[in-house]
């Protein structure tokens, strides 16, 4: 397309030829969360910009440089959601869902971040998101992780590994923060611009830096595990014991801080060695303070988000072949009267055989061309209705796979004959 309208960089179309693995994954996810008692919630794709600034945090990559923010006709600053925990927390508050109640929620949909597009990193991408509101854990922390381990098994994905850390309470974090600032001030000359700016705003973010030149300094920084409050330490230890009891492999990564501000206590990330630089497939953690910070009543909570594109890519690399359901029957017609009789017959069959898929050969054409289309559709049987069949009140049933034989039956018997033939 030279003169036409271009797609937006980093925003992909998912074509029918590619949709099979998406549906396979989405089906598994829906089944999984239903088993564990989660309910679906749908929230808007746009929210007030303020929501993301106050939740994700001002000194994060997302808020500093990745948000799609615009002013609408009414003069409000709105943002396309870069993630959906904030929106779900906002929805729980605006709809009065909390008041001491608990909710186990999930959501799926597009997210928007203005990042540099590359394989596995897009500007519109999709997340599957789970949030448990009102649960203090660590039982729910363990259950979420066990649920994800079950998903990888269901999908046949083996190249995913779990990292865990605890960020402690806000108070423990504040103490740790002081130590971190002191450490990085001692190495200020070696910090990159981003990190220098973050030193004042949120020094924990420096640990999250992806700049290779920063890794040596980060490696020498004090560790948050050494500064955990007693309760957070107990929480973290109980979680680890539960995971060990469930046979879940994990490593504690004391430098895992996650790129968003609202986390406290448990944080985790599943990574893979199969996708190159874009190695995070699913990450999450506790955000016990977020809901109060957004004006709701204090509610402990935990959640995670999974990158759908990255998991789809893992499925593709693992040669998972989605089951694509072809039509069972393909109706071929010839002649004007046969077309209208055929359309009516196809509707009748869809009523009589609701479990079966009936395709109608739209657009007509000669028998040969129509049979080619019927064959390509993957259908097992073709029904043939021409003017001569119409006059005699019969229809032909032709097997398209294996031994091709053709029988004729009265129109009134066709659904029973079809069902019998499909069961053969
Ligand atoms: P990364 O380290 O890859 O930037 P992140 O820490 O920014 O990931 P989160 O905000 O935790 O990611 O989002 C959860 C998941 O969403 C990630 O683990 C990843 O699978 C996926 N994800 C995040 N950003 C993108 C993107 N731009 N394109 C595709 N998937 C993404
Ligand atoms: Mg990121």
């Amino acid at each position: 397309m030279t003169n036409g309208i271009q797609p937006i960089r980093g925003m992909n179309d998912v074509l029918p030829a590619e949709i099979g693995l998406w549906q396979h994954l989405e089906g598994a996810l829906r089944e999984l969360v239903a088993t564990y008692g989660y309910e679906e919630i749908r929230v808007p794709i746009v929210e007030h910009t303020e929501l993301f600034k106050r939740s994700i945090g001002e000194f994060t990559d997302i808020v500093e440089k990745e948000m799609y923010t615009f002013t609408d006709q009414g003069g409000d600053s709105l943002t396309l959601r870069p993630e959906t925990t904030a929106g779900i927390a906002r929805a729980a508050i605006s709809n009065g869902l909390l008041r001491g109640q608990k909710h186990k929620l999930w959501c799926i949909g597009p997210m928007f971040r203005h990042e540099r597009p590359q394989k596995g990193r897009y500007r519109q991408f999709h997340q599957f998101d789970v949030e448990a509101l009102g649960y203090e854990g660590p039982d729910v922390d363990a259950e979420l992780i066990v649920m994800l381990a079950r998903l990888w098994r269901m999908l046949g994905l083996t190249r995913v590994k779990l990292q865990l850390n605890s960020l402690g309470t806000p108070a423990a974090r504040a103490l740790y923060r002081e130590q971190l600032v002191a450490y990085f001030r001692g190495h200020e000359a070696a910090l990159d611009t981003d990190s220098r700016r973050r030193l004042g705003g949120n020094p924990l973010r420096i640990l999250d830096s992806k700049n290779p030149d920063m890794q040596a300094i980060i490696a020498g920084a004090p560790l948050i595990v050494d500064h955990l409050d007693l309760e957070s330490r107990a929480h973290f230890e109980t979680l680890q014991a539960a995971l060990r009891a469930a046979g879940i492999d994990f490593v504690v990564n004391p430098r895992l801080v996650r790129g968003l501000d609202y986390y406290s206590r448990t944080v985790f990330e599943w990574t893979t060695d199969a996708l190159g630089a874009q190695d995070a497939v699913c990450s999450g953690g506790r955000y016990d303070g977020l809901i109060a910070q957004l004006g709701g009543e204090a509610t402990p909570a935990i959640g995670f988000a999974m990158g759908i594109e990255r998991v789809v890519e893992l499925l593709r690399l693992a040669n998972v072949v989605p089951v694509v359901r072809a039509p069972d029957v393909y109706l071929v017609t010839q002649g004007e009267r046969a077309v209208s009789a055929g359309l009516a017959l196809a509707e009748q069959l869809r009523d009589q055989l609701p479990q079966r898929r009936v395709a109608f050969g739209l657009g007509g054409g000669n028998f040969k061309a129509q049979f080619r289309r019927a064959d390509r559709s993957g259908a097992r049987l073709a029904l043939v209705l021409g003017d001569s069949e119409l006059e005699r009140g019969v229809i032909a049933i032709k097997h398209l796979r294996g031994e091709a034989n053709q029988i004729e039956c009265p129109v009134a018997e066709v659904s029973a004959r079809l069902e019998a033939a499909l069961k053969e």
Side-chain angles (χ1 to χ4, degrees), residues 201-246:
N202 191 342
L204 261 77
R205 289 285 74 73
I206 300 177
L207 300 179
D208 209 37
S209 163
K210 295 208 163 100
N211 182 351
D213 298 338
M214 289 287 303
Q215 299 311 313
I217 297 181
I218 290 171
L223 298 179
I224 197 155
V225 278
D226 298 329
H227 299 83
L228 287 187
D229 53 291
L230 286 179
E231 262 185 71
S232 297
R233 187 180 299 277
H235 187 113
F236 195 33
E237 273 160 16
T238 311
L239 168 61
Q240 292 181 53
L243 294 180
R244 275 189 217 104

Side-chain angles (χ1 to χ4, degrees), residues 273-350:
D273 62 0
L275 296 181
Q278 273 52 255
D279 65 347
V281 289
C282 177
S283 47
R286 286 212 145 261
Y287 49 95
D288 294 336
L290 177 66
I291 292 173
Q293 188 191 316
L294 292 176
E297 72 188 62
T299 307
I302 182 169
F304 67 75
M306 175 183 301
I308 298 286
E309 281 82 354
R310 293 187 192 173
V311 179
V312 164
E313 183 61 13
L314 283 181
L315 291 171
R316 208 182 55 73
L317 291 171
N319 294 318
V320 172
V321 182
V323 182
V324 180
R325 216 182 129 187
D328 295 296
V329 182
Y330 192 103
L331 179 50
V332 170
T333 61
Q334 191 81 91
E336 228 170 88
R337 279 177 54 228
V339 168
S340 42
L343 281 166
L345 176 65
E347 273 307 289
Q348 185 193 318
L349 290 173
R350 291 174 187 128

Side-chain angles (χ1 to χ4, degrees), residues 126-326:
H126 297 76
Q127 285 184 343
F128 179 78
D129 196 82
V130 167
E131 311 291 347
L133 310 181
Y135 295 87
E136 273 196 73
D139 52 357
V140 66
D141 308 25
E143 194 185 67
L144 283 182
I145 289 171
V146 164
M147 179 169 92
L148 284 164
R150 176 175 299 280
L151 176 73
W152 311 134
R153 286 200 303 278
M154 276 166 77
L155 295 173
L157 297 179
T158 51
R159 295 173 71 176
V160 282
K161 294 216 155 47
L162 174 62
Q163 299 182 22
L164 281 186
N165 196 18
S166 175
L167 302 180
T169 58
R173 243 169 106 166
L175 279 177
Y176 172 63
R177 185 195 142 114
E178 280 171 24
Q179 303 219 354
L180 210 55
V181 171
Y183 170 81
F184 283 126
R185 287 240 185 276
H187 296 80
E188 206 162 342
L191 298 183
D192 63 10
T193 349
D194 269 352
S195 302
R196 226 169 284 162
R197 198 184 48 242
R198 284 175 182 169
L199 198 50
N202 191 342
L204 261 77
R205 289 285 74 73
I206 300 177
L207 300 179
D208 209 37
S209 163
K210 295 208 163 100
N211 182 351
D213 298 338
M214 289 287 303
Q215 299 311 313
I217 297 181
I218 290 171
L223 298 179
I224 197 155
V225 278
D226 298 329
H227 299 83
L228 287 187
D229 53 291
L230 286 179
E231 262 185 71
S232 297
R233 187 180 299 277
H235 187 113
F236 195 33
E237 273 160 16
T238 311
L239 168 61
Q240 292 181 53
L243 294 180
R244 275 189 217 104
I248 307 284
D249 286 334
F250 61 88
V251 291
V252 173
N253 173 359
R255 286 191 185 77
L256 181 68
V257 293
R258 310 284 308 110
L260 297 79
D261 264 5
Y262 50 62
Y263 288 113
S264 56
R265 290 199 172 158
T266 311
V267 288
F268 62 89
E269 186 157 278
W270 295 85
T271 56
T272 179
D273 62 0
L275 296 181
Q278 273 52 255
D279 65 347
V281 289
C282 177
S283 47
R286 286 212 145 261
Y287 49 95
D288 294 336
L290 177 66
I291 292 173
Q293 188 191 316
L294 292 176
E297 72 188 62
T299 307
I302 182 169
F304 67 75
M306 175 183 301
I308 298 286
E309 281 82 354
R310 293 187 192 173
V311 179
V312 164
E313 183 61 13
L314 283 181
L315 291 171
R316 208 182 55 73
L317 291 171
N319 294 318
V320 172
V321 182
V323 182
V324 180
R325 216 182 129 187

Side-chain angles (χ1 to χ4, degrees), residues 61-62 66 113 115 121 210 310:
D61 279 350
I62 293 180
E66 297 173 359
R113 297 184 192 176
E115 304 196 64
R121 191 172 295 286
K210 295 208 163 100
R310 293 187 192 173

